[in-house]
Amino acid sequence: ITTNDQDTAVDSGDDHDSSVLDGEAMDKLTIRDFGKDLESWKEYRKTLPQIDPGYASDSSTEEPSNTIGDVPIEWYADYPHIGYDIDGKRVMRPATGDELDKFLANMDDPDVFRTARDEVNQQDVKLSEEEIDIIRRIQGGGIPDADFNPYEDTVEWFTSQTMQMPLNAAPPSKMSFLPSKWEHKRVMKIVRAIRQGRITRTAPKDNEPKYFDLWANAGQGEDTGRARRQRLTAPRMALPTHAESYHPPAEYLPTDAEREEWLATDPDDRKRNFLPQDFSSLRTVPGYDRFMQERFQRCLDLYLAPRVLKKTSHLNAEELTPKLPDPRDLRPFPAAEAL
């Protein structure tokens, strides 16, 4: 057999066994090595070992028997089938025995420790030697691939030796040999602070005692050098009433005379800063036009209105009046008026 990149010429008169390579080279022959002699290619195919399309097969043309994909197998727990094949037919659930049958089968099976359960196809699969070796490597914290060499020679992309031609021949930047303008500004700022006395070489010593009496001024109204300030919380806003509802009762709605009187009154003298209105539903309520004004007035009240804490004493009037003795204890005294 003579081969090239364009055509393949085969002498059909010669014996095929004497022309085909021996040993491992026979496993690497393809149909291009036989050229137009298809009969020899068919005979050669018969001599190749058969591929078992089972669990350990590496054939990419094999189709899975159960094509449910990533669907959990628990969804088929109440059905007699476990999925569907490529033609859309049901894959029936294989017959399984009870726990006693499983125990007896495991006792008679010498390969029970190298068998795994395929939940998708509902069958026991015998692991190959390569798969067992991968599992042992993973359990031992090693690399699953036996042919992988983690200690390969390092490829020195940037060698430690001096190269004749540099990787980058760009000239040095001007900034690398000129003084920094921003560092100069920073240094001058520190110099001005030292001249003005804001930065001293030695910090002033703290003459305050390390330990002091915390309750020395407890009986006095104010601490020494600083006054106590009590934070007074701002008063809360009044809660809305029935008049502020979007659908208030009829007695809260103003009449035409009350509306004209409210409009004629000065805004500071009005009892309310709004007029109650009636709407059929909440979605028909428009935006409040005085919202920003009321928020602004609220902020002014919190900022400008002074708050003073007034102490009030809750005394009973009976406690202020003196206790008089019982009139019966003051006898004898005149009880009748006589002339």
Side-chain angles (χ1 to χ4, degrees):
I1 301 174
T2 58
T3 62
N4 51 29
D5 295 339
Q6 301 295 330
D7 297 327
T8 302
V10 178
D11 187 4
S12 59
D14 297 339
D15 190 5
H16 175 65
D17 295 337
S18 60
S19 60
V20 178
L21 298 178
D22 298 334
E24 298 179 356
M26 293 185 62
D27 297 338
K28 301 180 182 180
L29 295 178
T30 60
I31 191 173
R32 296 184 60 185
D33 298 333
F34 291 88
K36 298 180 181 180
D37 191 2
L38 299 180
E39 296 297 332
S40 300
W41 166 248
K42 292 179 181 180
E43 295 295 332
Y44 169 71
R45 287 289 304 273
K46 294 179 181 180
T47 60
L48 296 178
Q50 296 294 331
I51 298 177
D52 184 14
Y55 178 79
S57 176
D58 294 335
S59 177
S60 60
T61 60
E62 177 191 354
E63 297 293 340
S65 59
N66 194 359
T67 58
I68 59 175
D70 295 336
V71 176
I73 197 63
E74 292 82 6
W75 292 5
Y76 295 89
D78 300 334
Y79 296 94
H81 60 284
I82 58 175
Y84 302 90
D85 57 4
I86 192 172
D87 298 328
K89 298 180 181 180
R90 295 183 177 181
V91 179
M92 304 308 295
R93 187 184 305 275
T96 56
D98 54 3
E99 296 297 330
L100 181 59
D101 296 338
K102 293 181 180 179
F103 176 74
L104 295 177
N106 294 337
M107 294 296 294
D108 299 336
D109 189 6
D111 298 332
V112 63
F113 294 104
R114 55 188 308 170
T115 305
R117 182 67 177 176
D118 187 3
E119 296 295 340
V120 177
N121 297 319
Q122 294 292 317
Q123 60 182 359
D124 295 333
V125 179
K126 182 180 177 181
L127 301 178
S128 61
E129 294 293 341
E130 297 179 359
E131 293 171 341
I132 294 177
D133 183 61
I134 291 174
I135 293 174
R136 288 176 179 174
R137 287 176 178 273
I138 293 176
Q139 289 180 348
I143 300 174
D145 191 2
D147 299 333
F148 180 77
N149 184 16
Y151 305 105
E152 294 182 355
D153 296 337
T154 304
V155 179
E156 295 186 0
W157 300 102
F158 301 95
T159 60
S160 57
Q161 301 177 1
T162 304
M163 302 176 64
Q164 296 181 1
M165 300 298 295
L167 295 177
N168 188 5
S173 61
K174 187 177 180 180
M175 187 181 301
S176 61
F177 54 85
L178 288 181
S180 175
K181 178 178 64 175
W182 303 107
E183 291 181 359
H184 175 72
K185 290 184 177 181
R186 180 63 179 172
V187 171
M188 292 306 300
K189 184 178 180 181
I190 298 174
V191 170
R192 286 192 296 268
I194 294 175
R195 291 176 180 177
Q196 295 174 1
R198 291 185 285 108
I199 298 178
T200 57
R201 299 179 63 182
T202 57
K205 295 183 179 180
D206 190 4
N207 296 326
E208 295 183 0
K210 185 177 181 181
Y211 304 102
F212 60 93
D213 188 4
L214 180 63
W215 308 104
N217 302 323
Q220 302 178 7
E222 297 180 355
D223 294 341
T224 304
R226 54 185 177 180
R228 287 184 178 179
R229 289 187 178 182
Q230 186 175 4
R231 182 179 178 273
L232 302 179
T233 58
R236 297 181 179 273
M237 296 184 64
L239 297 177
T241 59
H242 295 291
E244 300 183 38
S245 175
Y246 73 94
H247 187 59
E251 58 268 17
Y252 290 95
L253 295 176
T255 60
D256 295 340
E258 293 176 352
R259 186 184 301 274
E260 294 178 359
E261 182 183 357
W262 185 84
L263 294 175
T265 309
D266 188 80
D268 296 335
D269 298 337
R270 295 172 182 172
K271 295 182 179 180
R272 298 172 181 169
N273 55 354
F274 66 95
L275 282 176
Q277 298 180 11
D278 187 15
F279 298 95
S280 59
S281 60
L282 188 59
R283 61 184 178 85
T284 59
V285 178
Y288 187 42
D289 54 349
R290 290 185 51 82
F291 176 77
M292 298 299 297
Q293 288 82 353
E294 288 189 1
R295 295 295 94 188
F296 182 70
Q297 291 296 332
R298 173 67 177 173
C299 294
L300 290 181
D301 294 341
L302 297 177
Y303 175 64
L304 299 178
R307 295 190 290 272
V308 180
L309 182 62
K310 293 183 179 180
K311 295 182 179 180
T312 59
S313 59
H314 302 279
L315 298 177
N316 192 3
E318 297 179 356
E319 297 178 358
L320 299 178
T321 57
K323 294 183 179 181
L324 299 177
D326 192 1
R328 292 177 296 180
D329 298 340
L330 300 178
R331 290 183 181 184
F333 57 84
E337 182 178 359
L339 296 176

